[in-house]
Amino acid sequence: MSADGFTAGPPPGARPDWTIDQGWDAYTSQEHQVWMTLYERQSKLLPGRACDAFLRGLDALDLHRGGIPDFNRINEELNRLTGWSVVAVPGLVPDEVFFEHLANRRFPAGQFIRRPDQLDYLQEPDVFHDVFGHVPMLTDPTFADYMAAYGEGGLKAMGRGQLHNLARLYWYTVEFGLLQTEAGLRIYGAGIVSSHAESIFALDDPSPNRIGFDLERVMRTPYRIDDFQQAYFVIPSLQALLDATLQDFDRLYRDLERRPDIAIEAIAPGDAVITRGTQAYARARARPA
Ligand code: PHE
Ligand code: FE
């Protein structure tokens, strides 16, 4: 993901497009161990929880080998499948840089890995979140097209001053999206699949709302970056997500100017409610300790 508020250019050692060498040879055995611990935990948990496209992607990229993957190796297969590649960046990059990469089918991934005491949570996306979480879905041709289109849409939204709305779409799909399948709800969002606790919470907990995806509804809904989501949006298929976003958003952006945000915990008129959440988790967390 990207972040605002960058005034200077890329940090020392980074290229003008903010990429750096992954420096795979320089990872320590402790760093590889962190990857393996996280990998083991998630790959045990996710069958029956993550969608088929994600699980297939994990296999296709052969992420099972152990240790932090070498981007060069991933890229051979990824490029062959969908024309995408992974490029290393030092951390969050400015929005424009991020969208420019996506539009050109390059996914900017954090090069660093979290410390052993941060297995469950860290604020900045590291190589585990970015590669384990995001890259498997990029092996799916439909999702691959969606991400590239999103990059183009991001550049356009920046020009229109509409990034706050478009960022919500990213959040509720790419990061925290759920997919309806014949076998039940499945996860495709990277923020969920890279988190042990949220992979359980998102599907099983009675607290959050789970609502059928609607483009305008999603763009009117704020999100939280500091805790489990209070609402998840469920797409009927990856193709439906791509189809819904093919239209020109100019009209939608204009309409959104006049429509208020929808409270994060609300069920709105017209919502296709899949689960009406109790919001018990969010309420308990909001109470001062
Ligand atoms: N169709 C969108 C537009 O016209 C671009 C977009 C595509 C945005 C896919 C997000 C996802 O702005
Ligand atoms: Fe992410």
Side-chain angles (χ1 to χ4, degrees):
M1 192 45 180
S2 62
D4 267 332
F6 294 93
T7 41
R15 302 178 190 99
D17 68 357
W18 287 67
T19 61
I20 56 175
D21 287 331
Q22 184 191 9
W24 189 83
D25 291 328
Y27 288 122
T28 66
S29 60
Q30 195 194 44
E31 287 174 319
H32 284 301
Q33 191 55 54
V34 169
W35 173 284
M36 284 190 268
T37 303
L38 291 166
Y39 181 87
E40 284 296 311
R41 204 163 64 150
Q42 287 312 88
S43 57
K44 274 201 204 92
L45 179 65
L46 291 175
R49 291 185 180 271
C51 69
D52 286 346
F54 177 88
L55 296 170
R56 252 188 275 120
L58 268 191
D59 283 340
L61 296 173
D62 193 17
L63 295 177
H64 312 289
R65 290 194 188 192
I68 300 168
D70 182 340
F71 292 179
N72 291 324
R73 203 173 51 71
I74 293 182
N75 284 343
E76 283 175 30
E77 190 58 14
L78 184 57
N79 211 284
R80 198 181 63 74
L81 288 170
T82 58
W84 274 79
S85 59
V86 183
V87 293
V89 291
L92 293 171
V93 301
D95 291 324
E96 190 175 7
V97 174
F98 182 69
F99 295 140
E100 189 71 43
H101 281 301
L102 294 189
N104 290 287
R105 296 189 175 241
R106 293 185 298 263
F107 189 78
Q111 174 274 347
F112 72 101
I113 191 149
R114 65 196 71 184
R115 297 190 313 260
D117 60 314
Q118 298 171 313
L119 291 190
D120 291 314
Y121 186 77
L122 87 168
Q123 190 102 41
E124 283 226 358
D126 70 342
V127 66
F128 186 75
H129 167 78
D130 279 335
V131 173
F132 182 92
H134 285 282
V135 176
M137 288 303 293
L138 292 173
T139 65
D140 180 271
T142 307
F143 194 81
D145 287 353
Y146 173 67
M147 283 289 274
Y150 187 93
E152 305 242 5
L155 292 168
K156 182 176 132 184
M158 279 186 83
R160 309 255 193 298
Q162 291 291 346
L163 213 47
H164 55 291
N165 287 320
L166 192 69
R168 292 169 172 178
L169 176 63
Y170 190 91
W171 193 262
Y172 282 120
T173 60
V174 178
E175 295 291 355
F176 291 96
L178 296 181
L179 170 70
Q180 187 76 69
T181 76
E182 277 173 23
L185 287 183
R186 294 290 183 270
I187 307 162
Y188 72 94
I192 309 178
V193 290
S194 64
S195 159
H196 187 77
E198 196 150 0
S199 293
I200 298 168
F201 180 88
L203 292 180
D204 298 349
D205 203 278
S207 187
N209 294 327
R210 298 178 185 86
I211 301 167
F213 176 87
D214 176 84
L215 188 59
E216 184 193 308
R217 166 60 157 104
V218 165
M219 289 208 200
R220 290 174 60 194
T221 312
Y223 57 83
R224 46 189 317 163
I225 61 165
D226 58 335
D227 209 331
F228 298 147
Q229 300 305 302
Q230 289 180 250
Y232 296 93
F233 290 93
V234 180
I235 57 170
S237 67
L238 296 170
Q239 188 64 47
L241 174 63
L242 180 61
D243 290 347
T245 52
L246 285 178
Q247 59 172 297
D248 192 320
F249 284 6
D250 281 344
R251 165 89 182 276
L252 179 58
Y253 288 148
R254 265 200 310 281
D255 291 347
L256 285 168
E257 307 265 11
R258 291 180 281 103
R259 303 208 176 134
D261 282 357
I262 296 167
I264 197 163
E265 74 285 355
I267 298 286
D271 279 353
V273 180
I274 292 157
T275 315
R276 184 180 291 267
T278 62
Q279 299 297 334
Y281 173 82
R283 234 178 291 114
R285 296 278 289 193
R287 215 174 296 134

